[in-house]
Amino acid sequence: MTEKKILILDGIGGATLGRDIHACIDNSEYYDLAKLKQINLYKPRSALAKVKRKFSEKKSFYYLPKKALSSFLTVLDEVKPEVIFVIGFVYRFINPEQLKDIAKSRKIELYLYDTDSCNLYTKRREFIYFIENEVRIYDRVFSFSKVVTEFFNRMDIDAIFSPFGANLIERQSGKFQHEVLFVGSADLRRCFMLEHIVDYVLIKGARWGRNEAILSKKLQEKIDDKPVWGEALHQHLMGSKIVLNITRGPFYAAETGVNLRIFEAMAAGCFVLTDYCDEVAELFDIGLEIETFKGSKELVEKVAYYLSNDEARLAIAKRGQQKIRQQFTWDKRTQHMLSYMG
């Protein structure tokens, strides 16, 4: 597949995932969809489209794409791809049906790396819209979630389970600044779980301030309410004895949730403690490469145990990083997806 020219269209350019994949494909070009030229008067046109939709099809969801199709066509004319590989989604930027027609007329293959469908679980109409109007336009879909992959297959969508990857980072020192680190946005389940380990945890992420009414004063004092990315994130991960991953409530209810944070932390040689789901157990050896918990009681017990047992914790972290090196670097994950293209 790498002999074909591949255009990577990134719908989640705020994360490095699309750029990491691009770095692993020699014959590829990268474009952040957010950088396409926006259509004129987008906000009033979007509001008008929603009003029209409300009266014509009250139960349906509609999202007016933000970007000018002419801007996208300019990119295609410059790159002349034989393959388009979408990261995340396109429907918020350009019309998926138009993308399908353009690809067909230019004999371009279309593939999607589904990285965000689980974030639509609480937005039923938008989730259905994404499935019916975008997912079905692709020649094949890769999904980070096994649960979602199986769902797609039941819906007669050609989908392959393709977990996330990460770039290896070697720890510079063995010093730790934090006992337990949680990085992520606020969610009701996360708020309740973190209260149980408030004495140990440091929280970094967005949208915590709007949840102050349900947080104890003690937990509020442990929160740095702003997102962290890149080098700053890596330094915090490597400076923590335990990197805690708590999946959001809707993910947990669907028994999925092997998110990017798990791979990033393990690739940096961190000890990861995450809530249990079958996907985690299928990818990693629990107790040897990663640790899990199945409720607040077990969370408290394992945090206390691993903070008191450095040797056991560090051994698991080392084996976890080795597992990433063997199977889950972005180079290996990208080659896996390329093998299913064409």
Side-chain angles (χ1 to χ4, degrees):
M1 172 56 70
T2 52
E3 70 274 8
K4 294 185 179 181
K5 188 64 174 289
I6 299 176
L7 173 60
I8 296 171
L9 294 180
D10 197 346
I12 52 168
T16 64
L17 189 153
R19 294 183 289 278
D20 290 335
I21 290 174
H22 165 54
C24 298
I25 307 175
D26 292 334
N27 196 22
S28 68
E29 294 288 339
Y30 171 88
Y31 200 88
D32 184 346
L33 285 164
K35 294 184 178 179
L36 290 172
K37 182 181 178 181
Q38 185 155 311
I39 63 174
N40 295 327
L41 303 173
Y42 174 73
K43 288 186 177 180
R45 290 173 68 176
S46 176
L48 181 61
K50 289 179 180 178
V51 170
K52 289 182 177 179
R53 198 78 175 185
K54 183 177 181 180
F55 286 101
S56 62
E57 298 179 58
K58 294 183 179 181
K59 294 183 179 180
S60 68
F61 171 87
Y62 177 72
Y63 193 99
L64 180 69
K66 294 180 178 179
K67 304 302 180 177
L69 187 63
S70 59
S71 178
F72 173 62
L73 291 174
T74 299
V75 174
L76 287 188
D77 290 338
E78 291 174 353
V79 177
K80 295 180 173 57
E82 296 165 274
V83 175
I84 289 177
F85 190 17
V86 173
I87 308 297
F89 48 81
V90 298
Y91 70 95
R92 297 181 186 178
F93 304 98
I94 56 178
N95 187 307
E97 194 62 34
Q98 289 180 323
L99 173 60
K100 178 183 177 181
D101 292 341
I102 291 167
K104 183 178 180 180
S105 68
R106 299 190 182 207
K107 295 182 172 56
I108 299 173
E109 297 171 32
L110 287 178
Y111 299 95
L112 170 72
Y113 192 6
D114 164 47
T115 60
D116 275 56
S117 59
C118 290
N119 288 318
L120 299 177
Y121 282 173
T122 57
K123 306 172 183 177
R124 181 180 59 83
R125 292 181 182 179
E126 188 170 357
F127 182 60
I128 293 171
Y129 177 87
F130 176 62
I131 302 303
E132 293 183 344
N133 292 274
E134 176 161 351
V135 175
R136 293 187 182 279
I137 74 168
Y138 296 100
D139 296 305
R140 177 164 283 161
V141 175
F142 303 92
S143 179
F144 81 103
S145 165
K146 188 173 183 181
V147 168
V148 173
T149 301
E150 292 171 348
F151 164 71
F152 285 162
N153 288 331
R154 289 196 300 272
M155 300 294 288
D156 294 323
I157 296 167
D158 187 351
I160 301 289
F161 177 41
S162 189
F164 289 128
N167 294 321
L168 291 168
I169 301 173
E170 297 302 328
R171 183 182 296 277
Q172 300 299 313
S173 71
K175 296 181 180 179
F176 296 100
Q177 289 79 46
H178 319 304
E179 290 184 304
V180 180
L181 174 70
F182 175 81
V183 180
S185 59
D187 169 81
L188 186 61
R189 180 168 184 269
R190 290 171 171 175
C191 293
F192 277 64
M193 295 296 289
L194 289 167
E195 290 284 6
H196 293 282
I197 55 168
V198 64
D199 291 332
Y200 307 105
V201 72
L202 169 69
I203 301 167
K204 288 186 171 290
R207 298 191 291 275
W208 289 91
R210 66 183 68 174
N211 288 277
E212 283 187 358
I214 61 171
L215 301 176
S216 68
K217 293 294 184 183
K218 197 170 185 179
L219 190 63
Q220 290 179 36
E221 293 170 357
K222 299 296 188 77
I223 297 171
D224 182 8
D225 192 12
K226 58 177 180 286
V228 56
W229 301 97
E231 181 60 27
L233 171 62
H234 294 148
Q235 291 304 316
H236 283 296
L237 293 175
M238 291 187 290
S240 306
K241 292 182 178 180
I242 296 175
V243 174
L244 177 63
N245 184 64
I246 304 173
T247 55
R248 295 174 61 198
F251 287 41
Y252 187 75
E255 297 183 311
T256 190
V258 189
N259 56 22
L260 188 58
R261 180 76 65 240
I262 291 175
F263 296 89
E264 290 176 324
M266 292 177 71
C270 302
F271 171 85
V272 175
L273 175 61
T274 185
D275 34 20
Y276 178 88
C277 70
D278 290 344
E279 291 178 23
V280 171
E282 290 177 17
L283 295 175
F284 305 109
D285 286 332
I286 295 174
L288 292 176
E289 299 166 339
I290 195 171
E291 257 296 6
T292 63
F293 62 92
K294 293 183 178 179
S296 57
K297 182 176 183 292
E298 193 171 13
L299 170 62
V300 172
E301 291 172 349
K302 290 197 173 179
V303 164
Y305 175 80
Y306 284 107
L307 287 179
S308 303
N309 290 271
D310 292 349
E311 186 175 343
R313 188 185 72 246
L314 293 173
I316 290 174
K318 184 177 180 179
R319 287 190 291 265
Q321 187 181 45
Q322 183 61 25
K323 184 62 166 285
I324 298 295
R325 179 180 286 108
Q326 292 170 347
Q327 297 184 26
F328 296 105
T329 61
W330 270 126
D331 184 62
K332 287 183 170 59
R333 300 312 310 146
T334 299
Q335 294 308 312
H336 171 265
M337 288 187 282
L338 287 175
S339 72
Y340 283 95
M341 294 183 184

